[in-house]
Amino acid sequence: MSRGGHSGSLRVGVTDLGRGQPRPIRVLLVDDSLVARTVLARLLESRPEFEIAGAAPTADQAIHFLSSHDIDIVVLDVEMPGKDGLTALPEILEASNGAHVLVVSSAAEAGASATVRALTLGATDTLLKPTAGNFAGEFSHKFIDALLRIGHSNRQAHRPDRRAPDASPRPVVVTPIIALQPVRSGKISCLAIGASTGGLHALSAFLRRLTPGFRAPILITQHLPPPFMPYFAAQLRDIAGRPTSVAADGTPLVPGEMLVAPGEGHIRLARSGSRIVVRIDPAPAPSRCMPSVDPMFEAMAEIFGGEGVGVVLTGMGRDGTLGAETMVAAGAEILAQDLATSVVWGMPGSVAQAGLASLVMSPEDLARHVCHRNAGGAWT
């Protein structure tokens, strides 16, 4: 192992795995502690599955490194001088050309606000960093397992090739292949939003643009494990300035309030007298996501028809596409985040390329459309 330069950068060579063998998973370590960088590197250097492509003591140096190197996984600390890891996370994802981010931090306890924020900003996973001297044993096994699981996942589907010399700007490449649905008008009785990787940033941008005059109930499905949902709901409440809670079976839809799908079930809807209430569905969804956007959209189509609006924000995979088909068939409107502002253009890209969206725009512009349409028929 060699330690390079005054910046604390560290490079480790790897054994050639030979032709026909998978190339090593390329890892960038980002931590202001030289001890942490060194110990994490030692956990990986004897493993032929990994190549430590570099190490950086600050977020800005990591972003600069990523602009010219292909990395598979960024191991990122949260508490660093200057730009902290969470503040830098969107920039790191953009600069990394599609790499996954594993947050390893003493702030990454289960349910902690930093953990929820990291996952919703686009981190693939988080791991609690042990105190000094306790990196061996249980932590080392969890660390290696997490990197192998993340590294073996398919990221090529959402990773453009920076080496392609004739690559056009992303919006130009995508726009011509999208056939849009007609833009809808009229009353909005309910708004349903689906998001995954990078969701908190996109949701924040969208919700902050909704005017106080938008009073329709809002349903939100974000891919997160159950323990994180109460913290996620609290963050959305602070961002949007609207009453927000985790949906439970029988929770009524209330004008001006937001409901978040619980981690152990999907949002469905039913009529109960004069009210519309939530039904939590724990059955597996076709997307295999829990919670899934598809059942929520299907419920929107059944209950609200053309007065429902579905929004698909950044996220990996195709969750939401089947439900969006049902909504469009019922006369509802589907809006999708554009490629340029998405952390991963999987979910919104699938909806857009299937010809189901009326608009493909930034979250802010989608919110402006919702407010403009709402002005013609507010929730009563």
Side-chain angles (χ1 to χ4, degrees):
M1 180 172 64
S2 63
R3 216 169 275 140
H6 62 278
S7 67
S9 294
L10 174 146
R11 306 270 182 117
V12 179
V14 296
T15 302
D16 185 358
L17 297 184
R19 292 186 178 182
Q21 296 297 318
R23 70 167 175 81
I25 298 167
R26 292 172 57 80
V27 179
L28 172 65
L29 303 174
V30 186
D31 197 305
D32 63 306
S33 166
L34 176 60
V35 172
R37 296 197 306 274
T38 302
V39 172
L40 292 176
R42 285 176 177 166
L43 293 177
L44 302 180
E45 63 180 346
S46 63
R47 303 285 302 241
E49 304 100 317
F50 303 105
E51 173 188 347
I52 301 177
T58 69
D60 284 332
Q61 288 185 37
I63 292 166
H64 178 72
F65 181 88
L66 288 165
S67 66
S68 57
H69 294 77
D70 284 325
I71 301 298
D72 296 304
I73 302 175
V74 179
V75 176
L76 179 66
D77 189 21
V78 170
E79 297 171 325
M80 297 187 291
K83 188 179 294 182
D84 67 87
L86 295 184
T87 300
L89 184 49
E91 291 180 74
I92 286 173
L93 287 167
E94 183 177 359
S96 71
N97 196 35
H100 291 287
V101 173
L102 172 64
V103 170
V104 178
S105 170
S106 57
E109 294 181 293
S113 60
T115 303
V116 178
R117 189 176 172 210
L119 291 171
T120 51
L121 281 172
T124 303
D125 204 351
T126 66
L127 190 60
L128 180 64
K129 183 196 291 184
T131 57
N134 293 315
F135 281 83
E138 183 180 2
F139 171 80
S140 65
H141 294 304
K142 288 183 177 180
F143 182 58
I144 296 297
D145 288 346
L147 291 177
L148 288 172
R149 173 171 42 80
I150 295 169
H152 289 155
S153 65
N154 179 17
R155 74 186 183 96
Q156 294 303 321
H158 68 276
R159 181 186 184 188
D161 188 354
R162 78 163 93 240
R163 294 166 297 179
D166 57 348
S168 302
R170 290 183 295 178
V172 176
V173 172
V174 173
T175 301
I177 64 174
I178 296 175
L180 296 177
Q181 293 285 323
V183 174
R184 310 288 182 177
S185 60
K187 177 181 177 180
I188 298 175
S189 290
C190 190
L191 178 67
I193 308 172
S196 187
T197 307
L200 182 61
H201 181 73
L203 279 163
S204 175
F206 181 91
L207 293 172
R208 284 187 169 127
R209 291 288 181 173
L210 288 183
T211 62
F214 184 80
R215 298 288 296 163
I218 301 174
L219 307 176
I220 298 172
T221 292
Q222 165 76 44
H223 297 162
L224 280 175
F228 301 118
M229 290 306 185
Y231 304 93
F232 177 64
Q235 284 191 309
L236 291 184
R237 179 195 62 218
D238 294 342
I239 289 167
R242 297 169 183 261
T244 307
S245 60
V246 178
D249 205 67
T251 303
L253 271 60
V254 177
E257 296 190 7
M258 303 196 302
L259 292 175
V260 176
E264 64 275 3
H266 323 296
I267 286 180
R268 292 194 184 273
L269 302 172
R271 296 189 183 275
S272 178
S274 61
R275 300 189 307 172
I276 298 170
V277 300
V278 170
R279 293 287 180 241
I280 301 301
D281 180 7
S287 68
R288 300 183 181 179
C289 296
M290 181 63 79
S292 170
V293 180
D294 287 322
M296 178 179 69
F297 279 1
E298 290 167 0
M300 288 282 293
E302 179 183 355
I303 297 295
F304 295 106
E307 293 184 0
V309 173
V311 181
V312 184
L313 300 176
T314 174
M316 196 178 302
R318 301 183 69 252
D319 188 27
T321 300
L322 295 177
E325 290 176 355
T326 306
M327 285 190 68
V328 169
E333 183 169 53
I334 296 294
L335 310 174
Q337 186 173 354
D338 60 10
L339 171 60
T341 62
S342 295
V343 173
V344 181
W345 205 57
M347 287 166 52
S350 176
V351 167
Q353 291 171 315
L356 299 170
S358 296
L359 295 169
V360 181
M361 308 170 78
S362 69
E364 296 90 342
D365 287 335
L366 295 179
R368 289 190 188 99
H369 166 71
V370 168
C371 293
H372 178 75
R373 173 176 167 176
N374 179 70
W379 175 276
T380 57

